[in-house]
Amino acid sequence: MGIDQKASLSIMDYIMENIQDDGMLASEFCVNIEYEKNRAKSEIKFVDGFSDGGMMYHCATNEQDAKPLFEVLHLISNKKFEEAQNLLDVYFCDMQSVDTLSIIDDVQKWIYDNSKELNASNIANFSFHMLSLSRNIEAIKFSLSLLELFDLSDMEECRIAIKNLALCNEFTLFCIFAINSWPDKNELIFEMAQKVRGWGRVFAIARLEPETEAIKKWLLDEGQNNEILDEYSALEIANKINIAELVKDKNITNKTYKNLGKLISNLLTEGPVAGISALDNKDDVIEQYLLRAAEQKNDIRDYEIIYNILEYIHGLNDNPKQYHLKQLCGALLVTVQCKKTIEKALEEGDGFYLAKNMQMNYYEAALKCIKKDPLKHINLLELVLNDDTDNNNKVIDLYTQILPLDKIATGPEDIIGFGHELSTDILNLSSILSQLFDRPGLGEKLLICALNSLSTQNRNSALNVIENWRDKKLEISVEVKSALQKLKKVEVNEKLKERLRNF
């Protein structure tokens, strides 16, 4: 089915058509792709729920004028549904510049203040029907936010509609709002959390109460895994499962131990939201985890977590408790078992950064991995480039041979490259360029390819390298200079045109 055909469906119908046998939507499902106004090719396309997630976790809501919606509510109250829907579509015309999250509080306050003049039954009826009929993302969110004012938990058709919309990460948060007054809301939020993997799961976990042991177990075993960043839910989950008590259990299974380690690792990141610094009794939690670690058979991931704990403690002001924690970490990391585990991991193409931090010999194993599969192990590039020019040229030549340079270097376009058929190659090229900053003359074929790339990201990366070479008085070849001059004549991105004036 083509895009135009999809967009002619109601959003509900589009979701229903894409529900899989497991009762979920595919990970790549994105309602915004079909229903947002087409964006410029150069703009990044964001996953469902991204905009609301950004406002919920990182910035204040936008200031918007909600007054036009008061007129919509008057029309709804007077049962002029078609006119109301048309005005809603006008207000949320592009589904980007105006968002529901920013006006919910103003709208609900206005309804409460004017409740005597409004027909509640008409508002509830309109809102329910919009869930199934609308092709406007924000209009559906608006309708869900109105349903928060009513308890329609006995209306089976409404329950089904909200459950289906909640499968889409763009609507999960607002579906949770809609059932806020329902007696079984926590059970429904738990169901929602299990059936989404992206922002919807993050939103649901934040509002899920750990009422049962089944919920707590799921939060630790599955809930902390999402397709955005696991760290968003780490502190919520740690508090809801009572990590301080759970980690004291000397009889925990190895699975529980590993999931606790993953959770602590996410807390240690301290971003993009508060992490372990906001956890009560964090030193006691770490101590108990390390005591459990001494009782378990640890693999490379476990030792990486222990090392990360040690790094975290080193960044704190010393006190007797933290000195004790360092000793516990050290006792685990200096064991023969730890050394053997790292050596085995290196043979299997893993554990390189822990080996580096532990000052173990990792170079030959890393080089072997890159020679075997350069793109799979591109993250090891920084570990194998050194002061040996011949070695560096041989390593970079592997990427020159394997990347489709001719397909990438088709001339500049005003696109970033995400979602493009060459997006992985484009990202890999920029990743390689980031390793060339202090190595003049290395990878010039890749640098020139990037200057001719269709991707603005590649061209920006190439300019970063050349700018660094120039600032450090490093030599720039005639071939690279020629490619720069050519790009000046054909560049299509305004920001890059401005940058090129400095070369």
Side-chain angles (χ1 to χ4, degrees), residues 244-265:
E245 287 301 315
L246 184 56
V247 78
K248 291 178 183 178
D249 184 1
K250 295 181 180 181
N251 296 314
I252 59 172
T253 64
N254 187 254
K255 179 181 177 181
T256 298
Y257 163 69
K258 290 189 179 299
N259 285 331
L260 284 169
K262 176 179 169 62
L263 184 56
I264 289 172
S265 182

Short mmCIF file of all heavy atoms in Angstrom, two decimals, residues 244-265:
data_model
loop_
_atom_site.label_atom_id
_atom_site.label_comp_id
_atom_site.label_asym_id
_atom_site.label_seq_id
_atom_site.Cartn_x
_atom_site.Cartn_y
_atom_site.Cartn_z
N ALA A 244 17.54 -1.44 46.96
CA ALA A 244 18.35 -1.54 48.18
C ALA A 244 18.08 -2.83 48.95
O ALA A 244 18.98 -3.41 49.56
CB ALA A 244 18.10 -0.32 49.07
N GLU A 245 16.83 -3.30 48.92
CA GLU A 245 16.48 -4.54 49.59
C GLU A 245 16.78 -5.75 48.72
O GLU A 245 17.30 -6.76 49.20
CB GLU A 245 14.99 -4.54 49.97
CG GLU A 245 14.66 -3.61 51.13
CD GLU A 245 15.43 -3.97 52.40
OE1 GLU A 245 15.49 -5.19 52.73
OE2 GLU A 245 15.98 -3.07 53.04
N LEU A 246 16.47 -5.64 47.43
CA LEU A 246 16.65 -6.78 46.54
C LEU A 246 18.11 -7.20 46.44
O LEU A 246 18.42 -8.40 46.42
CB LEU A 246 16.12 -6.42 45.14
CG LEU A 246 16.13 -7.53 44.10
CD1 LEU A 246 15.36 -8.75 44.58
CD2 LEU A 246 15.54 -7.02 42.78
N VAL A 247 19.01 -6.23 46.43
CA VAL A 247 20.42 -6.55 46.24
C VAL A 247 21.06 -7.18 47.48
O VAL A 247 22.17 -7.71 47.42
CB VAL A 247 21.19 -5.27 45.80
CG1 VAL A 247 21.46 -4.36 46.99
CG2 VAL A 247 22.46 -5.61 45.04
N LYS A 248 20.35 -7.14 48.59
CA LYS A 248 20.86 -7.77 49.82
C LYS A 248 20.66 -9.29 49.83
O LYS A 248 21.27 -9.99 50.64
CB LYS A 248 20.15 -7.19 51.06
CG LYS A 248 20.50 -5.75 51.37
CD LYS A 248 19.70 -5.29 52.58
CE LYS A 248 19.96 -3.82 52.90
NZ LYS A 248 19.14 -3.38 54.06
N ASP A 249 19.81 -9.77 48.96
CA ASP A 249 19.43 -11.18 48.97
C ASP A 249 20.60 -12.06 48.51
O ASP A 249 20.99 -12.03 47.33
CB ASP A 249 18.22 -11.39 48.06
CG ASP A 249 17.71 -12.82 48.09
OD1 ASP A 249 18.29 -13.64 48.82
OD2 ASP A 249 16.73 -13.10 47.37
N LYS A 250 21.14 -12.85 49.40
CA LYS A 250 22.28 -13.72 49.07
C LYS A 250 21.87 -14.90 48.21
O LYS A 250 22.73 -15.62 47.68
CB LYS A 250 22.94 -14.22 50.36
CG LYS A 250 23.58 -13.12 51.19
CD LYS A 250 24.24 -13.70 52.43
CE LYS A 250 24.89 -12.60 53.27
NZ LYS A 250 25.55 -13.15 54.48
N ASN A 251 20.57 -15.09 48.06
CA ASN A 251 20.08 -16.24 47.28
C ASN A 251 19.52 -15.83 45.92
O ASN A 251 18.81 -16.62 45.29
CB ASN A 251 19.00 -16.97 48.08
CG ASN A 251 19.54 -17.56 49.36
OD1 ASN A 251 20.60 -18.19 49.38
ND2 ASN A 251 18.82 -17.34 50.46
N ILE A 252 19.83 -14.62 45.47
CA ILE A 252 19.31 -14.19 44.17
C ILE A 252 19.87 -15.08 43.06
O ILE A 252 20.99 -15.58 43.14
CB ILE A 252 19.64 -12.71 43.86
CG1 ILE A 252 21.15 -12.47 43.86
CG2 ILE A 252 18.91 -11.79 44.80
CD1 ILE A 252 21.54 -11.07 43.38
N THR A 253 19.08 -15.26 42.03
CA THR A 253 19.53 -16.06 40.89
C THR A 253 20.56 -15.28 40.09
O THR A 253 20.69 -14.06 40.21
CB THR A 253 18.35 -16.39 39.97
OG1 THR A 253 17.83 -15.18 39.42
CG2 THR A 253 17.24 -17.12 40.75
N ASN A 254 21.28 -16.00 39.25
CA ASN A 254 22.27 -15.34 38.40
C ASN A 254 21.59 -14.36 37.44
O ASN A 254 22.13 -13.30 37.14
CB ASN A 254 23.06 -16.39 37.60
CG ASN A 254 24.20 -15.78 36.83
OD1 ASN A 254 24.14 -15.64 35.61
ND2 ASN A 254 25.27 -15.40 37.52
N LYS A 255 20.38 -14.69 36.99
CA LYS A 255 19.63 -13.80 36.10
C LYS A 255 19.31 -12.49 36.80
O LYS A 255 19.49 -11.40 36.25
CB LYS A 255 18.35 -14.47 35.62
CG LYS A 255 17.50 -13.60 34.72
CD LYS A 255 16.22 -14.30 34.28
CE LYS A 255 15.35 -13.37 33.42
NZ LYS A 255 14.09 -14.04 33.02
N THR A 256 18.84 -12.59 38.04
CA THR A 256 18.52 -11.38 38.80
C THR A 256 19.78 -10.56 39.05
O THR A 256 19.78 -9.34 38.93
CB THR A 256 17.85 -11.74 40.13
OG1 THR A 256 16.61 -12.41 39.87
CG2 THR A 256 17.58 -10.49 40.97
N TYR A 257 20.86 -11.24 39.38
CA TYR A 257 22.15 -10.56 39.60
C TYR A 257 22.57 -9.78 38.36
O TYR A 257 22.98 -8.62 38.44
CB TYR A 257 23.21 -11.59 39.97
CG TYR A 257 24.63 -11.10 39.82
CD1 TYR A 257 25.15 -10.12 40.66
CD2 TYR A 257 25.46 -11.63 38.83
CE1 TYR A 257 26.46 -9.68 40.53
CE2 TYR A 257 26.77 -11.20 38.69
CZ TYR A 257 27.27 -10.21 39.53
OH TYR A 257 28.57 -9.77 39.39
N LYS A 258 22.46 -10.39 37.19
CA LYS A 258 22.87 -9.72 35.96
C LYS A 258 21.95 -8.55 35.62
O LYS A 258 22.41 -7.51 35.15
CB LYS A 258 22.93 -10.72 34.81
CG LYS A 258 24.08 -11.72 34.96
CD LYS A 258 24.27 -12.56 33.73
CE LYS A 258 25.44 -13.52 33.93
NZ LYS A 258 26.71 -12.81 34.16
N ASN A 259 20.66 -8.71 35.87
CA ASN A 259 19.73 -7.60 35.61
C ASN A 259 19.96 -6.45 36.58
O ASN A 259 19.82 -5.28 36.22
CB ASN A 259 18.29 -8.09 35.68
CG ASN A 259 17.90 -8.90 34.45
OD1 ASN A 259 18.43 -8.69 33.36
ND2 ASN A 259 16.98 -9.83 34.62
N LEU A 260 20.31 -6.76 37.83
CA LEU A 260 20.67 -5.71 38.78
C LEU A 260 21.94 -4.99 38.32
O LEU A 260 22.05 -3.77 38.43
CB LEU A 260 20.89 -6.32 40.17
CG LEU A 260 19.63 -6.69 40.95
CD1 LEU A 260 20.00 -7.53 42.17
CD2 LEU A 260 18.85 -5.44 41.37
N GLY A 261 22.89 -5.75 37.79
CA GLY A 261 24.11 -5.14 37.28
C GLY A 261 23.83 -4.21 36.13
O GLY A 261 24.38 -3.10 36.05
N LYS A 262 22.96 -4.63 35.22
CA LYS A 262 22.58 -3.78 34.09
C LYS A 262 21.91 -2.50 34.59
O LYS A 262 22.19 -1.40 34.10
CB LYS A 262 21.63 -4.54 33.15
CG LYS A 262 21.08 -3.71 31.99
CD LYS A 262 20.19 -4.57 31.11
CE LYS A 262 19.42 -3.73 30.11
NZ LYS A 262 20.28 -2.99 29.17
N LEU A 263 21.05 -2.64 35.59
CA LEU A 263 20.36 -1.47 36.14
C LEU A 263 21.34 -0.51 36.80
O LEU A 263 21.28 0.71 36.59
CB LEU A 263 19.31 -1.94 37.15
CG LEU A 263 18.41 -0.88 37.77
CD1 LEU A 263 17.67 -0.09 36.69
CD2 LEU A 263 17.41 -1.51 38.73
N ILE A 264 22.27 -1.05 37.58
CA ILE A 264 23.29 -0.20 38.22
C ILE A 264 24.16 0.47 37.17
O ILE A 264 24.51 1.65 37.29
CB ILE A 264 24.13 -1.05 39.20
CG1 ILE A 264 23.29 -1.41 40.42
CG2 ILE A 264 25.39 -0.29 39.63
CD1 ILE A 264 23.93 -2.41 41.36
N SER A 265 24.50 -0.26 36.11
CA SER A 265 25.29 0.32 35.02
C SER A 265 24.57 1.50 34.38
O SER A 265 25.18 2.54 34.10
CB SER A 265 25.58 -0.75 33.98
OG SER A 265 26.38 -0.24 32.94
#
